Amino acid sequence: MVIDQIHDLQQVYRKVVHSMSRPGSISNLNNITEKLEDDLPCNHAFFLCALTVLDAEVTFHVVASEEKKARLIEILSSYNMSRIAPVDEADFILLLQDAPEYQMNQALLECKTGNLHDPQQSATWIIESGLLSNISALSLSGPGINGTQQLQTGIQQDFWQRRNDKVKEYPLGIDLVFADFSSQIACIPRTTAVTITEVV
Amino acid sequence: MIAKPHFAFFDEGSKKEIRRATLKAVAIPGYQVPFASREMPIARGWGTGGLQLTLSLIGRNDVLKVIDQGADESVNAVSIKKLVQHTTGVSVTEKTQEADIIQSRHRIPEKALKEDQILVLQVPNPEPLRKVDAREYMTKRMHAEDDYSGAWLLLFEQIMKFGRMSTGASHPVYVNGRYVMTPSPIPRFDNPKMHQSKGLILLGAGREKKIFAVPPYTSVESLAFDDYPFTVESFEGKACKLCGSTDVFLDEIIDPDTGERTHQCNDTSYCMEQLNSEEKVEVENSYV
């Protein structure tokens, strides 16, 4: 069975909107990811999120091991004709779990954050993450959160310090979409204050 | 031959573009994200922004409610409902609590939004600083520089002229302490409903090609001065002549023959619900 570009992607979009407007809240894409085939270089939820936002009008940049990178670029551009771009120009940064750390750090440093006239011209990250859960590792607060929200993403602490540096000059910043192997997604937009509560 | 319309009217490329703009709008609360507003089968300025948001959001299992100035049955609401229903086959409702997506023109329903509901507001003039400067480039720069002296000055001039802030609708608000935004032409009465709302609020301006948003649990403060605090319209001593509600936004109705003034709920579905529940109690009592 294949996914339905109209109705399935509409469902994915609604889940992403839900999670983006409520940072840290986890949405499940199980009923759609099971329609996908197994030979993808990334997890299914990640692939669906990428399909939902990418088309010929936007660019992306993949941060991953060489082998997976080539495969993902080939699949994505043949699915929706989106183009690749250098990291400092790409609208979407796609980060796979096996990405070398120095490449990830470099991408965090160089990706777009928009400018004060057009803060929307910033990069959105789609990140293949470890199991997402609402147990204490990060404490989130800000718009969309009633009080505080806990989230665990499995990504290293270092990442969060760099991310916090990147969103210091609000409204400039980057927005993150996390997708894990059990078809869950969670988002952290630039408005969310992230504090590390647990030393891993 | 009449071709069957594509699901939700738009081609998928258009939906994607609106969706990307919406996600950015949610991430930057109150900031007007430009988007490529599409030609719609209704005239620009008549709800095309809201309609485009609704069509980009809606799925087969959603339940839609559309209101126009509080009424479910006025022309604008009915034609929008017809178009969405024709192209998607979704069911529509008049009950606020049953809807997944509520598209509204100039009112926020009296019933508070629920967690999973999305309120889509139609916005004719998204720029709160347009009266300060007619040039888009300049107002964009003011937003960039966090320079809202013009917005404050407009309110100050009203106080000088009339002794109070005289905004009838779209009283400007600070969203998340950064951007000044027009809440769309809702009465001041509805401004506090945006503050820490449980549901997501999306605003779309089709003619002006802007999408902006207020995520749930976000601070929305109406602009006001220490000595001239923000006040909502007062309906003290007045009640709806049909259902008797007092803590709602009321329309004043003047009888053209007698000149008599009466008041009525502006939110028709809320009024109907009150009447129905009164009726139910009445019926139950009379059979005991």
Side-chain angles (χ1 to χ4, degrees):
Chain A
M1 205 164 144
V2 286
I3 58 153
D4 181 333
Q5 294 265 0
I6 301 169
H7 301 290
D8 288 339
L9 291 188
Q10 181 271 335
Q11 291 286 316
V12 177
Y13 168 64
R14 281 290 284 279
K15 301 273 180 180
V16 177
V17 169
H18 179 91
S19 284
M20 189 63 94
S21 55
R22 293 164 181 82
S25 114
I26 296 171
S27 305
N28 201 307
L29 301 176
N30 254 332
N31 54 343
I32 306 163
T33 49
E34 65 193 19
K35 295 182 187 175
L36 285 169
E37 285 152 22
D38 278 331
D39 60 346
L40 292 171
C42 57
N43 79 47
H44 291 177
F46 178 96
F47 189 65
L48 285 176
C49 289
L51 280 192
T52 305
V53 290
L54 293 178
D55 65 12
E57 287 174 35
V58 289
T59 55
F60 67 95
H61 181 90
V62 179
V63 184
S65 65
E66 285 307 317
E67 187 193 341
K68 281 194 172 181
K69 185 174 173 176
R71 178 102 181 91
L72 186 62
I73 290 175
E74 188 196 323
I75 294 181
L76 280 178
S77 39
S78 62
Y79 257 84
N80 52 38
M81 299 196 292
S82 50
R83 294 158 293 136
I84 54 166
V87 68
D88 57 339
E89 288 170 22
D91 302 310
F92 292 89
I93 309 279
L94 311 180
L95 175 67
L96 291 188
Q97 221 169 10
D98 68 348
E101 204 180 323
Y102 72 94
Q103 276 188 20
M104 180 179 85
N105 292 342
Q106 196 63 23
L108 257 177
L109 212 61
E110 289 180 8
C111 71
K112 292 195 292 188
T113 55
N115 58 59
L116 286 169
H117 281 106
D118 289 297
Q120 83 280 7
Q121 287 171 5
S122 56
T124 301
W125 284 58
I126 303 177
I127 300 169
E128 190 183 41
S129 73
L131 187 70
L132 295 165
S133 65
N134 285 125
I135 58 168
S136 170
L138 299 172
S139 177
L140 314 177
S141 62
I145 303 168
N146 190 10
T148 58
Q149 168 76 274
Q150 311 299 323
L151 184 71
Q152 192 178 45
T153 59
I155 213 161
Q156 60 262 45
Q157 265 192 41
D158 200 36
F159 177 87
W160 292 109
Q161 279 151 9
R162 286 169 203 273
R163 178 265 176 192
N164 286 349
D165 277 345
K166 202 74 181 170
V167 298
K168 244 187 333 207
E169 289 187 48
Y170 180 77
L172 310 186
I174 52 171
D175 311 310
L176 314 174
V177 180
F178 290 91
D180 76 5
F181 285 90
S182 52
S183 304
Q184 301 185 112
I185 56 162
C187 301
I188 300 187
R190 66 193 73 183
T191 47
T192 307
V194 177
T195 19
I196 302 159
T197 49
E198 193 186 77
V199 181
V200 184
Chain B
M1 188 190 97
I2 298 170
K4 207 168 164 253
H6 188 68
F7 181 80
F9 187 75
F10 284 131
D11 57 290
E12 293 305 303
S14 300
K15 282 186 207 166
K16 270 189 189 175
E17 201 263 342
I18 297 166
R19 287 170 181 171
R20 284 193 298 259
T22 310
L23 288 174
K24 282 278 162 56
V26 170
I28 319 168
Y31 170 73
Q32 301 164 46
V33 182
F35 80 113
S37 182
R38 262 66 185 178
E39 285 285 343
M40 298 302 292
I42 55 173
R44 284 193 164 157
W46 290 88
T48 50
L51 186 57
Q52 291 180 69
L53 279 172
T54 301
L55 290 172
S56 75
L57 287 163
I58 206 155
R60 282 180 293 195
N61 301 324
D62 283 318
V63 179
L64 176 74
K65 172 184 164 83
V66 183
I67 43 176
D68 171 6
Q69 206 108 36
D72 290 272
E73 285 121 13
S74 66
V75 178
N76 194 225
V78 171
S79 14
I80 287 174
K81 259 187 275 199
K82 272 189 188 161
L83 176 71
V84 179
Q85 214 175 13
H86 178 64
T87 55
T88 61
V90 297
S91 52
V92 293
T93 182
E94 289 181 4
K95 293 197 175 119
T96 306
Q97 68 273 20
E98 284 177 4
D100 297 304
I101 298 172
I102 305 167
Q103 181 174 336
S104 169
R105 172 178 172 266
H106 305 189
R107 267 320 298 280
I108 296 179
E110 299 294 353
K111 269 220 166 82
L113 291 180
K114 292 189 301 183
E115 284 277 349
D116 282 337
Q117 285 180 322
I118 299 176
L119 176 68
V120 175
L121 288 167
Q122 304 169 195
V123 190
N125 301 306
E127 184 49 75
L129 301 171
R130 187 57 70 229
K131 277 187 190 157
V132 181
D133 201 307
R135 291 164 293 179
E136 171 71 8
Y137 175 75
M138 291 305 286
T139 52
K140 217 167 157 56
R141 195 160 98 181
M142 287 175 204
H143 284 291
E145 291 171 350
D146 205 351
D147 171 13
Y148 292 118
S149 43
W152 289 102
L153 202 60
L154 287 177
L155 294 176
F156 177 74
E157 279 175 354
Q158 291 173 2
I159 294 173
M160 287 293 102
K161 269 191 193 159
F162 309 110
R164 61 183 176 87
M165 291 187 282
S166 61
T167 44
S170 56
H171 185 96
V173 292
Y174 251 111
V175 183
N176 190 29
R178 174 59 177 83
Y179 283 104
V180 166
M181 175 191 98
T182 175
S184 85
I186 53 173
R188 276 175 289 139
F189 187 87
D190 285 345
N191 275 18
K193 293 181 192 165
M194 280 195 167
H195 180 66
Q196 302 288 332
S197 136
K198 279 187 181 165
L200 169 65
I201 303 171
L202 297 174
L203 302 98
R207 184 185 53 205
E208 307 292 326
K209 305 183 172 73
K210 295 288 171 65
I211 287 173
F212 44 116
V214 179
Y217 304 110
T218 299
S219 143
V220 177
E221 283 172 63
S222 304
L223 265 63
F225 299 94
D226 287 345
D227 48 348
Y228 285 87
F230 174 77
T231 50
V232 300
E233 291 85 352
S234 161
F235 300 103
E236 222 180 305
K238 292 163 189 146
C240 173
K241 69 166 178 183
L242 299 174
C243 71
S245 295
T246 50
D247 51 354
V248 294
F249 190 80
L250 296 171
D251 282 337
E252 188 181 59
I253 295 162
I254 303 169
D255 189 306
D257 299 327
T258 62
E260 189 196 0
R261 284 160 196 265
T262 52
H263 290 83
Q264 202 173 310
C265 285
N266 174 270
D267 185 336
T268 52
S269 76
Y270 179 83
C271 193
M272 191 66 87
E273 224 163 275
Q274 299 301 310
L275 283 171
N276 283 338
S277 64
E278 277 170 33
E279 191 102 323
K280 210 175 155 197
V281 173
E282 219 171 273
V283 170
E284 275 167 6
N285 288 346
S286 62
Y287 277 93
V288 169

